[in-house]
């Protein structure tokens, strides 16, 4: 089967060389052989890094849900497409076959249409990890509506910002969600958020926890009765290759979140191709990615990539620690999971628990293990390898981003020898470059620099919703004719890449991207706060945690500092969400600044990281004396 499935390193190098020598014909062959098109493309790729503009498979027509569902019905109709494992292990798992998925997506799509949703309209999805979440994405795609999923851990303000940015006409939510032993009032969060959203006409509500909730007449509708009344078939909307499929927000180092826009054909081809190769997926595998569909990992590698391959994809509603820390391993055993894809933060957290949680479960079904979201440290890698993979499962350390749509740098199991902490080699078609600060490419091996990609790939985000200039400024202005990732990387003596972390003011906490500027904006709204600076510092489980330096206003009032810390974190929870809370808050009389008034975050990062041996020359600061004060009062 041509170059769709790479089986050994030799073949990888062959395929890679071919993909780089002639990317157009490489991707064309894959697109031709493995997908269902209504009309063939006129042109595989056209691009312009200056505008910037990238078009893949222009002129082609398709619907991604036909590729993810309809075309499997003949051969795999009774196969499980989505295997839903509920929060409570006592609740039965659901096996949703491709036939059933076809019907449920059609019904949902018909409900959306009946509520006035048309091609190009934006629908905000704010749901827990229940089947209706995946079905809502697919229903939008069925009728050409653009979905914008907001992770159901974001606050009402964060939700409202995203709804307003994309002028969503509809919100799909639930009466609440289960999270371990807790329930969360999602509908209450939506109601609060919608007070400041004018574009939303209808809210569809899934019943999940049977909570008594207020329903606003005319706006809010229980979903189930509408589904019951809906037709079981829905003709797919025929989409152009470059029609937007979805918007997904990611944090920037400054300002509002960026609504990354992904389009249809290139995204489909690339996520399907990478899913198959990176996880070495075979027909009878049971694949499980533990991410939430609220993040790109869930979009690409729970929903679209697996379903485009006709795979069985597990959706888990709960958390790794409920009812106890064996939950992940219990699920692996119960469903005989073959590929397991999770985040380093989860591995570190579970690695601290008693090994009995792992050892009482039979994990022999596992074939491939994956990690994503942040650099994996060596200790966690070995724990994963020894205790979960039993030294018998290749580990794929996959580097990619919301913006890249799919995995970019990763080992291919059984082909690429893995080295802990290295994402290793670029996938076919991906051309990384390391750049120095002057904008020159650093050639050769054993070098490090800023990680860029120098040729377009099919699943790259095409713009930032409503702000193409910001797209250009953020990704295409630092280096000419390159996409700049925001990450630093090194290339070792054999050409393997190791991602060293963000080079901008984004901090990755437990695998979640957090811009420091929006957090500073949130806490600066506190009446007692004059100024603040947030930095990341290394944390054993979360990878990074947030450290805040806060200058209080001189009001003469002496407040209890612990209360202030709580209030500051409450402000952050309200404006962004609990994931952005600060682990440590230090009150200080000043912040180190350059003569032009810029905060020297490098110094603050070092102090917070307890690494003060080499602070550099602080004498050129506007206020060098502050450095000692901050060091004396650092919170350990
Ligand atoms: C980081 C998640 C090291 C990186 C798919 C990137 C990683 C950001 C890895 C994107 C990895 C992701 N090794 N760092 N394997 N994977 N990152 O948009 O800093 O949520 O820029 O996409 O996570 O995070 P995002």
């Amino acid at each position: 089967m041509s170059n769709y499935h790479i089986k050994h390193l030799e073949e990888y190098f062959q395929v890679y060389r071919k993909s780089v020598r002639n990317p157009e014909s490489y991707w064309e062959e894959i697109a031709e052989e493995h997908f269902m098109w209504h009309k063939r493309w006129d042109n595989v790729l056209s691009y312009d890094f200056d505008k910037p503009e990238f078009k893949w498979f222009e002129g082609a027509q398709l619907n991604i849900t036909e590729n993810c569902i309809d075309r499997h019905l003949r051969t795999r109709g009774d196969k499980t497409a989505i295997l839903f494992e509920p929060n409570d292990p006592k609740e039965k798992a659901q096996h949703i076959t491709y036939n059933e998925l076809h019907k449920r997506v059609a019904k949902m799509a018909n409900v959306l249409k009946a509520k006035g949703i048309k091609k190009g309209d934006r629908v905000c999805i704010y749901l827990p990890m229940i089947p209706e979440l995946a079905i809502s994405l697919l229903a939008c795609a069925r009728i050409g509506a653009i979905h914008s999923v907001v992770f159901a851990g974001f606050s009402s303000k964060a939700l409202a910002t995203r709804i307003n940015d994309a002028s969503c006409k509809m919100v799909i939510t639930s009466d609440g969600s289960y999270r371990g032993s807790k329930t969360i009032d999602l509908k209450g969060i939506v109601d609060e958020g919608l007070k400041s959203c004018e574009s939303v006409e209808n809210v569809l509500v899934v019943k999940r926890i049977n909570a008594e909730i207020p329903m606003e007449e005319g706006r809010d509708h229980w979903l189930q009765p509408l589904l019951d009344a809906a037709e079981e078939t829905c003709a797919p909307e025929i989409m152009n290759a470059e029609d937007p499929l979805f918007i997904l927000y990611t944090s920037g180092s400054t300002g509002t979140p960026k609504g990354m826009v992904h389009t249809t054909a290139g995204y489909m081809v690339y996520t399907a191709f990478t899913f198959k190769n990176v996880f070495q997926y075979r027909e009878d595998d049971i694949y499980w990615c533990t991410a939430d569909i609220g993040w790109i990992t869930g979009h690409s590698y729970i929903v679209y990539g697996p379903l485009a391959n006709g795979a069985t994809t597990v959706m888990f509603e709960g958390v790794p620690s409920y009812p106890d820390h064996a939950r992940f391993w219990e699920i692996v055993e119960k469903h005989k999971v073959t590929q397991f894809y999770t985040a380093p933060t989860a591995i570190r957290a579970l690695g601290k628990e008693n090994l009995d949680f792992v050892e009482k479960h039979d994990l022999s079904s596992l074939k491939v293990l994956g990690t994503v979201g942040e650099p994996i440290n060596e200790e966690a890698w070995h724990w994963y390898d020894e205790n979960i993979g039993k030294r018998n499962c290749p580990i794929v350390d996959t580097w990619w981003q919301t913006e890249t749509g799919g995995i970019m740098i990763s080992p291919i199991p059984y082909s690429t020898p893995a080295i802990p902490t290295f994402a290793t080699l670029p996938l076919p078609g991906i051309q990384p470059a390391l750049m120095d600060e002057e904008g020159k490419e650093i050639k050769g091996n054993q070098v490090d620099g800023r990680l860029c990609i120098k040729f377009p790939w099919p699943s790259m985000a095409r713009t930032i919703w409503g702000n193409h200039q910001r797209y250009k400024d953020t990704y295409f202005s630092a280096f000419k004719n390159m996409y700049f990732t925001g990450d630093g990387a090194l290339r070792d003596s054999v050409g393997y890449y190791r991602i060293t972390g963000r080079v901008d003011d984004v901090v990755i906490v437990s695998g979640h991207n957090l811009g420091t500027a929006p957090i500073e904006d949130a806490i600066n709204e506190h009446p007692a706060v004059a100024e603040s600076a947030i930095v990341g510092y290394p944390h054993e489980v979360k990878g990074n945690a947030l450290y805040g330096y806060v200058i209080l206003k001189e009001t003469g009032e002496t407040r209890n500092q612990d209360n202030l810390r709580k209030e500051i974190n409450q402000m952050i929870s309200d404006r962004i969400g609990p994931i952005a809370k600060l682990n440590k808050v230090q009150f200080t009389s000043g912040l180190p600044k350059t003569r032009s008034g810029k905060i020297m975050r490098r110094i603050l990062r070092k102090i917070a990281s307890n690494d003060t041996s080499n602070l550099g020359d602080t004498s050129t600061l506007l206020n060098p004396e502050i450095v000692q004060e901050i060091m004396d009062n650092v919170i350990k």
Side-chain angles (χ1 to χ4, degrees), residues 250 296-297 371-376 397-403 423 485 487 499 501-502 508 511 513:
T250 188
I296 191 69
T297 307
T371 75
V372 58
E374 58 183 307
I376 180 163
D397 176 353
T398 64
W399 173 81
W400 59 296
Q401 309 179 294
T402 305
E403 294 85 340
T485 65
D487 283 326
I499 312 303
R502 302 289 312 182
I508 312 236
N513 291 9

Side-chain angles (χ1 to χ4, degrees), residues 302-317:
I302 296 177
V303 182
Y304 290 111
L307 296 179
N309 280 280
T312 298
T313 176
V314 176
M315 257 185 95
F316 175 46
E317 183 186 27

